[in-house]
Amino acid sequence: IHPNDSRKFKLVVRKAEDQDCRIRGSWNLLRTAFWEVLKNSVIHSHNGEVTVTMYRSDNRVVVDIEDDGRGVAPGNDDLIFLRFFQEPANMMSRKGKRGLGLGLFISRYISEKHSGELRYVRHKEKGGLFRFIFPAEQAEEQVAPIEYKLGA
């Protein structure tokens, strides 16, 4: 996503209002992880619609980022998280500036450093669905910022 990009997109955010969806960690790193996946979803969406859904499941916070694109090619579900990997079909169809293939790798790394995970969820409908899962922060916990150095 670039400020000069003329494409329009629609971001829909859904959160269960009765659920506490706080997670513990570095705001800057988590923001980077979410941004990289969100950016990919906007780039690969067909009609520019991306939905972010946040909810709590047991003691975990789940954040789903879903687009209306063609999804990940079969067999690439885990490959997309490798450093420098780019799907060949997407490289040919992508207009303008191409990335380095680091966004999903970095997002997964940050998730794991926060005791979480990032995975691609395949479903019957078209589109990509990326799911972050983190331990939920308990309301009474005192929060101390956690900082990680990438590459450590």
Side-chain angles (χ1 to χ4, degrees):
I1 305 173
H2 189 274
N4 295 332
D5 193 345
S6 63
R7 293 185 306 155
K8 294 183 180 185
F9 67 93
K10 178 181 177 183
L11 178 64
V12 178
V13 179
R14 297 183 181 124
K15 180 193 171 288
E17 292 188 24
D18 62 333
Q19 295 180 343
D20 184 1
C21 294
R22 288 183 290 167
I23 52 180
R24 174 182 242 181
S26 164
W27 165 246
N28 288 330
L29 289 175
L30 290 169
R31 181 181 59 192
T32 298
F34 293 134
W35 171 248
E36 289 299 328
V37 175
L38 186 62
K39 181 174 63 171
N40 278 352
S41 293
V42 169
I43 288 168
H44 296 292
S45 68
H46 280 258
N47 297 318
E49 182 162 322
V50 176
T51 303
V52 178
T53 307
M54 181 184 292
Y55 58 94
R56 192 164 172 159
S57 178
D58 297 322
N59 290 325
R60 311 289 278 172
V61 172
V62 180
V63 180
D64 287 342
I65 300 177
E66 185 173 11
D67 64 57
D68 62 353
R70 67 175 161 202
V72 174
N76 288 345
D77 296 21
D78 288 323
L79 295 176
I80 58 173
F81 295 105
L82 295 177
R83 191 179 326 196
F84 304 119
F85 181 82
Q86 295 186 35
E87 283 197 295
N90 287 339
M91 289 175 65
M92 302 305 271
S93 65
R94 194 163 166 190
K95 298 178 194 110
K97 188 176 173 185
R98 291 202 317 237
L100 297 173
L102 291 172
L104 293 175
F105 170 79
I106 291 169
S107 293
R108 181 176 261 185
Y109 178 84
I110 291 170
S111 299
E112 290 171 352
K113 289 297 183 181
H114 285 79
S115 302
E117 56 188 278
L118 171 60
R119 60 174 87 144
Y120 177 77
V121 178
R122 187 167 296 285
H123 53 90
K124 291 183 180 185
E125 292 142 30
K126 283 192 167 195
L129 192 158
F130 289 88
R131 177 166 289 158
F132 288 92
I133 304 172
F134 295 101
E137 178 185 285
Q138 302 305 316
E140 61 276 354
E141 283 186 51
Q142 291 290 2
V143 180
I146 300 172
E147 291 293 332
Y148 294 101
K149 292 181 182 176
L150 288 177

